[in-house]
Amino acid sequence: MMHKDYLTLARNDLLSRLNGGSILINDSVSVPVQGAVISTHPIVGFQNAIALQVQALHVDSVPLINNLKLLTSDGVVVAEKVTQIGMNGSQFLTLTFVVQVKGGV
């Protein structure tokens, strides 16, 4: 089992890397992350996982979101999800990604 101090370090590192990061919508439209917070810890059914909640502005040219990728400021993919979200005039997006910390091999 991972030590709590390491999980805290990983969580804080992830949050700092999302500063200046972006969300790639439908593999074609990139929007900057407006904010990121850890919403809950732990997640039922996952060991060493966090629910990372990110916010971004709405994109008028995207009426339906089919997939999302959360990218760090360096363009590294942190998490991705397949979904069906109709925007229906929303002014901003609040998305939750579950991120699990695993040990190396």
Side-chain angles (χ1 to χ4, degrees):
M1 182 170 175
M2 295 206 188
H3 194 273
K4 181 181 174 185
D5 290 345
Y6 178 75
L7 295 175
T8 300
L9 177 69
R11 179 181 74 184
N12 292 341
D13 181 63
L14 177 59
L15 285 174
S16 70
R17 289 175 189 267
L18 290 176
N19 185 20
S22 61
I23 300 169
L24 184 61
I25 303 171
N26 297 340
D27 292 320
S28 62
V29 178
S30 180
V31 294
V33 170
Q34 298 291 313
V37 295
I38 304 297
S39 61
T40 56
H41 185 347
I43 306 298
V44 175
F46 292 91
Q47 184 176 357
N48 301 328
I50 56 174
L52 178 64
Q53 199 171 63
V54 293
Q55 293 180 340
L57 295 176
H58 169 73
V59 179
D60 289 331
S61 63
V62 182
L64 180 66
I65 296 175
N66 296 309
N67 62 64
L68 298 157
K69 291 181 183 174
L70 180 60
L71 307 172
T72 66
S73 56
D74 296 327
V76 176
V77 177
V78 173
E80 59 185 314
K81 65 183 349 180
V82 174
T83 187
Q84 292 287 319
I85 302 172
M87 294 312 298
N88 300 327
S90 300
Q91 294 185 9
F92 63 91
L93 302 170
T94 300
L95 308 163
T96 301
F97 295 87
V98 174
V99 179
Q100 189 172 15
V101 179
K102 295 184 178 184
V105 179

